Amino acid sequence: AYISGALDYSGFRRCDLVVEAIVENMDIKKKVISELSGHVSDNCIVASNTSSLSISEMAKAYKNPDKFIGMHFFNPVHKMPLVEIIRGEKTSDATVAALYALSKKLGKQPIVVKDGPGFLVNRLLMPYLNEAGHLMEQGVSVEQLDKTMLDFGMPMGPIALQDLVGIDTSLYAGTVVIEAYKDRAAIPPNILGDLVAAGRLGTKTGKGFRAYGGKKGKAQPDPDFLPFLEKNRLAKREISSEEITDRLFLGMLVEATLILEE
């Protein structure tokens, strides 16, 4: 009863907090944030749900950069407790405290992180997802990748995760992280760009690495995906579950060590 929708900025003047959650494109985000500035009060906090883009850069488009912050939720939002609170260069202590307190009130577990490519979670996650794509190029199937990680104890496989968060989001976020750390980052798998170009963005479009149909949108193998896989396959060899696990986690462990050193 407290929720309503709108196709314009009517009602935004009454908001104490606005969370932006549009496409991962800096130019589009800054354009929308700039437009929003004229429709909210001077006391309004604006938070971006970006998974990797610079909060400090986005804040330049808002009239009160001290009230601009990152508030990154994780999919599926109703199940995942973690929220990254990202402090930009001009974000005030009061704004950080307000978002931290709100996250706790929502039943989430907030962590305050500095503004930087990928922040904390995606900086760790991107080597993992990147390597999953390279394993596919070398002959590992979608099913084997996800089953291996489920058997290991992960709540979701890397391919199912990318379909859930959006292959376009995974591609854009990965590009930001890889560009920032190109001295050690692996080249991203080409299959992501091909899927995005074809409009196969995951669960939100009904097709990605898998197809999602029926009333519950249950995942199922999609024969239309096979041409994308064959086009980008560089080799085909037997790869053990142990090698899959080692390769997926190695990049994450290296990145975690580098983060600690910083």
Side-chain angles (χ1 to χ4, degrees), residues 5-242:
L7 298 178
D8 55 27
Y9 288 106
S10 61
F12 277 75
R13 181 67 62 180
R14 302 190 301 272
C15 292
D16 297 314
L17 168 69
V18 174
V19 180
E20 166 273 311
I22 61 176
V23 64
E24 285 287 271
N25 179 292
M26 179 62 80
D27 291 338
I28 296 175
K29 283 184 181 291
K30 289 179 73 174
K31 181 177 184 296
V32 171
I33 292 163
S34 178
E35 290 177 0
L36 177 67
S37 284
H39 298 276
V40 295
S41 72
D42 289 339
N43 295 320
C44 182
I45 295 174
V46 174
S48 175
N49 185 49
T50 181
S51 59
S52 59
L53 298 178
S54 171
I55 296 300
S56 299
E57 182 62 29
M58 269 185 272
K60 295 176 182 178
Y62 190 49
K63 59 183 177 181
N64 296 314
D66 62 306
K67 291 183 172 63
F68 194 89
I69 194 168
M71 190 180 192
H72 180 209
F73 294 87
F74 293 86
N75 273 313
V77 175
H78 65 290
K79 291 184 177 181
M80 300 296 285
L82 187 65
V83 175
E84 283 181 312
I85 305 297
I86 306 107
R87 179 195 288 269
E89 290 176 0
K90 296 185 178 181
T91 307
S92 70
D93 290 343
T95 299
V96 173
L99 267 289
Y100 189 95
L102 175 63
S103 298
K104 295 291 285 185
K105 190 174 182 179
L106 292 172
K108 300 296 186 181
Q109 178 55 60
I111 55 171
V112 179
V113 301
K114 69 177 183 178
D115 188 17
F119 313 131
L120 174 62
V121 174
N122 274 330
R123 189 169 162 186
L124 292 172
L125 183 63
M126 285 309 149
Y128 173 82
L129 297 181
N130 208 29
E131 192 60 32
H134 291 306
L135 283 163
M136 274 196 295
E137 291 175 344
Q138 295 170 28
V140 181
S141 69
V142 166
E143 291 71 25
Q144 185 183 0
L145 276 168
D146 278 355
K147 183 178 185 304
T148 297
M149 298 319 295
L150 287 172
D151 289 345
F152 181 82
M154 298 292 277
M156 183 179 293
I159 306 304
L161 178 60
Q162 291 191 77
D163 270 348
L164 179 63
V165 302
I167 296 172
D168 53 336
T169 300
S170 179
L171 175 63
Y172 301 149
T175 300
V176 169
V177 174
I178 288 166
E179 281 296 312
Y181 306 105
K182 60 178 65 176
D183 58 325
R184 62 177 183 273
I187 298 172
N190 291 326
I191 194 169
L192 292 182
D194 289 348
L195 291 172
V196 170
R200 297 178 65 100
L201 309 183
T203 57
K204 60 187 174 184
T205 59
K207 287 191 175 184
F209 289 97
R210 295 183 174 96
Y212 298 85
K215 292 182 178 180
K216 295 185 178 180
K218 188 176 180 180
Q220 53 193 347
D222 182 9
D224 292 339
F225 168 70
L226 296 179
F228 293 92
L229 186 60
E230 291 304 320
K231 175 189 173 185
N232 291 283
R233 180 160 283 161
L234 304 177
K236 191 167 185 178
R237 67 181 181 88
E238 292 294 324
I239 298 179
S240 68
S241 296
E242 289 76 13

